[in-house]
Amino acid sequence: MDNVLDVVGIEKKYPGVIANRDVALTVKAGSIHAIIGENGAGKSTLMKILYGLIRPDAGHIKAFGKDVELKSPQDAIALGIGMVHQHFKLADNATVLENVILGSEPTRMGFIINFDQARKKLVEIAEHYGLEIDPDESLSNLGVGERQRVEIAKVLFRGAKILILDEPTAVLVPQEVEELFSNLRELVKRGLTVLFISHKLDEVLSIADEITIMRQGATVASRTPKSTNKVELAELMVGGELPKPRAGATKSTGESLISIKNASYMRQDGRQVLNNLSLELKGGEILGLAGVEGNGQSELIELIMGLVKPSGGTVEILGLDATKTLTKDIRNAGVAYIPQDRQRDGLLMSAPLWENRVLGHQFASPMANNAWVNKGEAIEDSKRVVSEFDVRTPGINVLASALSGGNQQKFIVGRELSGSPKVILAAQPTRGVDVGAQAIIWDHLMKARSEGAGILLISADLDELFSLSDRIAVIYSGSIVATLDPNKTTPEQLGLAMTGAKSA
Amino acid sequence: MTKNRIFWAVAAPVAAILNSLLFIYIILKIRGVDPLSMFSLMISYGFDPRNLVSELNQTIAYYLAGVAAAIGFKMLLFNIGIDGQYRMGAFFGAVVGGAVALPPVLHVLLIVITAMIAGGLWAAIAGYLKVRRGVNEVISNIMLNFIAAAVISYLLLPSMLGTLPEGSQTAQTFPIPASGQMPTIKAFDGEIYSFLFVAIFVGIAYWVMLNKTVFGFNLKATGLSFRAARASGVNAPRMIFVTTVLSGAIAGLVGIGTLLSDTHKYSMAFPAGYAFTGLALALLGRNHPVGIFFAAFLWSFLERSAPVLEFEGVPPEIVIVMQGTIVLSIVIAYEVVARINLRQQQRAVGSVSAEAQPIKESN
Ligand SMILES: Nc1ncnc2c1ncn2[C@@H]1O[C@H](COP(=O)(O)OP(=O)(O)OP(=O)(O)O)[C@@H](O)[C@H]1O
Ligand SMILES: [Mg+2]
């Protein structure tokens, strides 16, 4: 087999960090190639370099046998290299077709968009690669998995021969992961090459043809699934053994922390996103909330945080009426919030880390003394979070945007778990973090539970739900359709319940 | 370390000013005038003590306009309404000041507070429209500037709140009695407005508010990310409104130095154009109180020393060209300097960790 990519000696430095060094990567044509490594190992940096988004300080890239210099994504696309980012960049108020052609519209006479030709091409691509998409569907009606397919179609539409995916499975539920993988297998069968990043070793072993491991900026090893196993991969990533989460004891205090009765919520566009939803969270328990993304999870959290008002029903949290209480008072009462969209809701990306430590805690001691921000304390405690949660950063004065995705997540979790919160709303708390960090975060969540906190855990990761939850509530179409005992339920049963099937 | 930081902070403005000087140099050269003697003429004229005093007085107004703009910038608000807010502040300050008789300090205080309230309320209209109705503040503020000018010229009619003294052509407010005037400081054959101290106080208060208080933290957070601020418990829409009002309140002070120490009355002779100047100065001074001060002084200096060029047959408007090129260059200069700075830091990392194998730097 030919190599479609031959990369040697790539180096990229940032202030205080070497993101990539001595990177060597060989990708064979028609293969699925996985990149794994700890948070901050330099995976995204390498992918962005291959896509022309970042220019390396040194190194050579050979694509399809020719030396190339990638100055911009346009260069990469012209060569047949396309990338799907972790955060999708699609327009909600447009159709699938419009989204796909945006930026590379085929035209008639140079300026009139030729929709017929575009549709024909998109349908052909979809059929050829077995991607199920409807060109005329409005994007706002699509779930995450479908949106991802649109992103892939968009890249293929531009003629990509190498497809780069940064943590494509992080946002998907297991069924969607299966669909994605069958799509990817179809793509490589037709001669494409896929390069993807993942933290889930099971996945990597099941789908990849080849695996490259990165550690501290460098590529340290290459394996095939047949020649390795999970334990070895983990050791290669960490350079040692994996930490194991200790199972914490459950001690339900019986005290009701959150009590929601018949809550309904209608969005401005008229969609009923919560429908007579009832739910109770007690002290000392972890209540898992399972469901396909977009079934009302975000709105439920916003309701509890007092960010939106329900159109009906009652929401009580720590004795406060959330429908009449300010978000800051709900936070002050002892509610921690780990948002699902860390970059948009959880961080001030262009503020230093220590200011991000204050965020969400600026209304109470110790981050504030009345009207004054306590900078000294913020700095001290940021250092504690960084060391306790193993956040890889050159310091606490760097901007949040300088951290890798997983390290941003670790910092947020560390911040939110500070000060012994009574209620923890944890949406995808381990999304995008490596196995080591996942163990640390699980550990802390279980410790909080054994100290009497109540945790509402929203997760797309069924493993996480089964490992941590005392009960699992299933949300579908804005209602809780089932509450299951994780010890008496199989993942299949849970998966079925999440699709709204009544049998579970 | 701090020395380094200051160097990088001033590098961009200095580069922008040099760039604009070069541009003017070339223009003058083409016109056949000797640029260097022109520059030295401007400098010796501008630093003449008497001129320094009037420059300093003008700096006060520019400075306050710059701080007002900077507060808006921190919230990503483009407060182009400073003109209207300043007019409202000066006008109502003058009206109230001319209508009451109070003990000296109280009288001045009343005028200052009235001006801030008037400016703030005028800005509140734009704030309300933005937060509640989604109207872009640039559009509403431009209209509010026109409306302010029209409303004031109507209110200045002798039949309304104004007066037309005998022998005068322009309508004006009733003069503020001595108890409502602010003393001047005699220096270099001139008189410096003591309102200078108020301006300095405003600058310090602005810095402390932004960097030390929870309010300032919330303001910055909302400007950086509306959603993250909201999720953290900040009432972000309210914060946008309050910031708009605050920016307007500071803008309301822009004309007060002149009012209290010089004219003692408001008339249509009060100049226009503070909005654009304020925004330019905030940009040039990087929203920093000290930076804005130097920028404001530079502006006054250039304007004051421009007329001297006429003696040599150079149109004084060349100064406007100069100000324009400074503003254009500054945007580019910040970008360039930031890149050089980043590259330097990266090189520093490279040399430090060239031998050191593990790059995980725990803190
Ligand atoms: N813009 C930037 N400025 C400064 N440092 C950066 C920047 N981008 C990345 N880094 C640093 O480079 C290193 C590698 O980051 P990268 O995003 O490639 O990691 P990653 O392997 O993708 O990690 P994760 O699994 O957490 O996504 C990190 O230490 C990060 O802090
Ligand atoms: Mg990454």
Side-chain angles (χ1 to χ4, degrees):
Chain A
M1 265 198 290
D2 290 342
N3 294 338
V4 288
L5 279 178
D6 250 314
V7 175
V8 287
I10 293 281
E11 188 174 286
K12 176 74 196 173
K13 291 176 201 151
Y14 286 112
V17 192
I18 300 180
N20 275 177
R21 58 176 178 137
D22 300 330
V23 169
L25 178 70
T26 309
V27 181
K28 296 200 177 84
S31 68
I32 299 185
H33 196 118
I35 311 280
I36 64 171
E38 283 188 294
N39 295 127
K43 308 177 294 294
S44 296
T45 303
L46 177 59
M47 296 301 117
K48 286 180 193 159
I49 288 172
L50 294 177
Y51 186 52
L53 273 170
I54 300 176
R55 301 196 58 185
D57 300 336
H60 298 283
I61 300 174
K62 233 186 206 180
F64 304 104
K66 280 196 290 284
D67 281 321
V68 294
E69 199 179 337
L70 302 165
K71 294 205 185 81
S72 69
Q74 278 77 19
D75 288 354
I77 291 166
L79 281 167
I81 303 175
M83 177 159 174
V84 175
H85 296 273
Q86 190 175 340
H87 299 96
F88 303 152
K89 296 174 161 59
L90 298 171
D92 245 353
N93 47 4
T95 66
V96 168
L97 178 66
E98 286 163 349
N99 264 292
V100 166
I101 65 176
L102 196 72
S104 65
E105 301 88 347
T107 52
R108 255 195 279 257
M109 297 182 305
F111 60 92
I112 301 169
I113 297 179
N114 191 339
F115 275 106
D116 295 336
Q117 190 194 328
R119 174 176 287 106
K120 207 166 136 249
K121 187 172 163 196
L122 176 60
V123 171
E124 271 172 23
I125 288 174
E127 267 173 23
H128 185 70
Y129 294 113
L131 288 174
E132 246 178 76
I133 45 176
D134 174 1
D136 299 311
E137 183 74 65
S138 165
L139 212 78
S140 53
N141 295 334
L142 300 188
V144 197
E146 291 161 309
R147 279 165 190 249
Q148 195 171 51
R149 269 206 296 277
V150 175
E151 285 275 13
I152 293 174
K154 188 170 175 154
V155 173
L156 297 177
F157 193 86
R158 284 158 179 66
K161 296 279 171 287
I162 303 175
L163 192 64
I164 300 175
L165 302 150
D166 193 346
E167 299 192 29
T169 59
V171 290
L172 304 179
V173 295
Q175 292 98 312
E176 291 172 324
V177 172
E178 268 320 305
E179 277 170 44
L180 170 69
F181 282 176
S182 80
N183 283 327
L184 295 185
R185 287 197 187 95
E186 205 59 38
L187 293 182
V188 292
K189 239 185 258 165
R190 314 256 172 224
L192 260 65
T193 307
V194 173
L195 203 56
F196 81 107
I197 299 177
S198 177
H199 288 292
K200 299 178 183 162
L201 300 181
D202 287 323
E203 268 173 30
V204 168
L205 286 169
S206 82
I207 188 164
D209 299 309
E210 242 166 306
I211 305 165
T212 294
I213 301 104
M214 292 188 74
R215 187 164 80 225
Q216 297 181 357
T219 43
V220 291
S222 236
R223 293 286 185 273
T224 62
K226 286 192 204 74
S227 70
T228 188
N229 56 52
K230 257 176 94 171
V231 178
E232 192 203 14
L233 287 180
E235 278 171 8
L236 283 168
M237 274 163 54
V238 185
E241 243 178 272
L242 272 184
K244 285 219 168 48
R246 296 162 299 219
T250 310
K251 280 194 302 222
S252 177
T253 60
E255 179 194 4
S256 172
L257 301 180
I258 297 180
S259 166
I260 301 174
K261 297 210 174 73
N262 302 319
S264 296
Y265 175 65
M266 195 186 292
R267 266 200 326 221
Q268 260 166 352
D269 62 9
R271 246 185 81 194
Q272 184 84 25
V273 275
L274 293 180
N275 238 323
N276 272 322
L277 182 143
S278 299
L279 177 147
E280 175 140 37
L281 176 71
K282 292 206 162 68
E285 76 163 346
I286 297 181
L287 173 62
L289 190 68
V292 178
E293 208 160 314
N295 273 288
Q297 293 95 322
S298 325
E299 288 79 7
L300 174 62
I301 294 270
E302 295 200 329
L303 212 61
I304 299 175
M305 288 300 292
L307 289 166
V308 298
K309 307 283 166 241
S311 44
T314 59
V315 183
E316 209 185 277
I317 177 159
L318 295 171
L320 301 166
D321 180 353
T323 64
K324 293 199 182 69
T325 312
L326 292 175
T327 304
K328 82 170 193 199
D329 294 327
I330 292 176
R331 274 203 178 260
N332 274 352
V335 178
Y337 173 33
I338 301 166
Q340 162 166 344
D341 191 335
R342 56 177 169 242
Q343 300 195 342
R344 285 165 79 182
D345 294 322
L347 290 171
L348 304 173
M349 292 293 277
S350 40
L353 272 193
W354 72 263
E355 285 192 18
N356 275 289
R357 169 63 187 85
V358 178
L359 190 70
H361 300 253
Q362 71 265 44
F363 299 104
S365 174
M367 287 302 121
N369 299 329
N370 302 317
W372 304 91
V373 172
N374 194 343
K375 181 171 174 181
E377 184 64 31
I379 287 177
E380 279 314 304
D381 207 59
S382 303
K383 288 182 182 158
R384 177 191 62 82
V385 170
V386 163
S387 78
E388 217 166 284
F389 286 82
D390 191 23
V391 179
R392 309 285 168 88
T393 169
I396 50 148
N397 283 316
V398 302
L399 305 184
S401 59
L403 261 59
S404 78
N407 283 306
Q408 291 169 352
Q409 182 69 23
K410 290 191 246 173
F411 190 82
I412 293 180
V413 173
R415 168 185 80 197
E416 292 304 325
L417 294 186
S418 321
S420 317
K422 298 195 189 81
V423 169
I424 300 164
L425 305 174
Q428 319 291 356
T430 60
R431 176 170 285 179
V433 307
D434 61 48
V435 275
Q438 185 183 49
I440 298 178
I441 292 174
W442 284 6
D443 227 32
H444 275 91
L445 287 175
M446 287 190 289
K447 193 166 136 248
R449 169 179 65 181
S450 64
E451 285 163 4
I455 300 169
L456 182 64
L457 172 71
I458 299 181
S459 183
D461 181 346
L462 296 194
D463 269 350
E464 183 165 73
L465 283 175
F466 277 103
S467 318
L468 294 181
S469 309
D470 300 304
R471 293 186 294 147
I472 300 178
V474 182
I475 188 168
Y476 179 75
S477 195
S479 311
I480 302 293
V481 292
T483 303
L484 310 169
D485 179 345
N487 299 319
K488 295 182 187 134
T489 311
T490 64
E492 288 69 33
Q493 286 170 324
L494 179 60
L496 208 60
M498 282 161 59
T499 61
K502 283 276 172 266
S503 65
Chain B
M1 181 63 211
T2 33
K3 231 189 238 164
N4 215 342
R5 255 184 48 206
I6 292 169
F7 173 78
W8 287 112
V10 295
V14 169
I17 292 163
L18 288 179
N19 184 37
S20 122
L21 280 176
L22 183 70
F23 185 71
I24 301 295
Y25 183 97
I26 294 169
I27 290 185
L28 290 175
K29 202 85 192 173
I30 292 170
R31 283 189 62 108
V33 206
D34 176 22
L36 291 181
S37 74
M38 224 30 52
F39 291 153
S40 74
L41 198 64
M42 275 179 81
I43 289 174
S44 62
Y45 185 78
F47 279 116
D48 181 79
R50 205 160 340 157
N51 293 326
L52 263 182
V53 169
S54 79
E55 281 156 23
L56 211 52
N57 287 337
Q58 182 61 56
T59 300
I60 299 173
Y62 281 162
Y63 182 65
L64 289 166
V67 172
I71 293 176
F73 275 149
K74 283 284 170 190
M75 184 59 93
L76 305 183
L77 291 171
F78 209 74
N79 187 1
I80 195 95
I82 288 173
D83 248 327
Q85 294 145 16
Y86 127 78
R87 258 178 213 296
M88 283 294 178
F91 174 73
F92 281 104
V95 167
V96 170
V100 298
L102 280 172
V105 178
L106 274 183
H107 200 160
V108 167
L109 212 58
L110 178 72
I111 294 170
V112 169
I113 290 172
T114 306
M116 292 183 77
I117 292 176
L121 283 179
W122 195 247
I125 302 173
Y128 173 84
L129 288 173
K130 181 176 180 76
V131 172
R132 280 296 155 83
R133 296 272 172 269
V135 180
N136 186 301
E137 79 277 5
V138 174
I139 294 165
S140 56
N141 271 323
I142 289 176
M143 298 207 287
L144 283 168
N145 284 345
F146 282 112
I147 297 172
V151 166
I152 289 173
S153 56
Y154 173 71
L155 290 179
L156 270 177
L157 290 177
S159 56
M160 301 301 292
L161 300 170
T163 169
L164 195 64
E166 254 173 84
S168 168
Q169 295 294 317
T170 45
Q172 47 194 246
T173 58
F174 289 97
I176 299 171
S179 61
Q181 302 180 359
M182 264 179 112
T184 53
I185 305 152
K186 304 248 180 313
F188 315 117
D189 300 335
E191 297 180 35
I192 302 172
Y193 306 162
S194 50
F195 201 67
L196 177 64
F197 295 109
V198 177
I200 293 172
F201 173 78
V202 166
I204 295 172
Y206 161 74
W207 188 87
V208 170
M209 182 272 287
L210 211 55
N211 293 294
K212 299 285 172 193
T213 68
V214 172
F215 176 83
F217 180 87
N218 292 344
L219 195 164
K220 277 190 293 185
T222 311
L224 289 172
S225 165
F226 183 89
R227 284 181 49 164
R230 214 169 75 97
S232 83
V234 178
N235 186 341
R238 200 178 127 237
M239 205 65 213
I240 292 179
F241 178 77
V242 172
T243 306
T244 310
V245 173
L246 195 62
S247 172
I250 303 298
L253 292 177
V254 167
I256 300 301
T258 315
L259 181 73
L260 294 186
S261 290
D262 185 14
T263 63
H264 308 307
K265 58 185 187 270
Y266 180 91
S267 72
M268 280 323 242
F270 268 58
Y274 279 115
F276 277 112
T277 309
L279 293 165
L281 297 180
L283 196 64
L284 188 57
R286 264 200 146 162
N287 296 336
H288 191 283
V290 176
I292 299 170
F293 185 85
F294 282 116
F297 179 76
L298 176 69
W299 240 237
S300 319
F301 179 91
L302 290 176
E303 278 168 11
R304 182 74 191 174
S305 49
V308 75
L309 297 177
E310 238 171 344
F311 301 140
E312 304 294 321
V314 179
E317 282 76 19
I318 197 98
V319 162
I320 300 176
V321 177
M322 195 160 169
Q323 291 175 335
T325 33
I326 292 178
V327 173
L328 281 180
S329 320
I330 191 75
V331 181
I332 303 164
Y334 277 140
E335 191 55 30
V336 172
V337 166
R339 281 198 199 162
I340 296 174
N341 188 4
L342 182 72
R343 203 162 318 139
Q344 288 249 326
Q345 287 190 41
Q346 286 168 357
R347 203 164 303 145
V349 186
S351 56
V352 168
S353 44
E355 326 85 64
Q357 271 297 333
I359 39 164
K360 176 192 152 196
E361 299 178 28
S362 49
N363 205 275

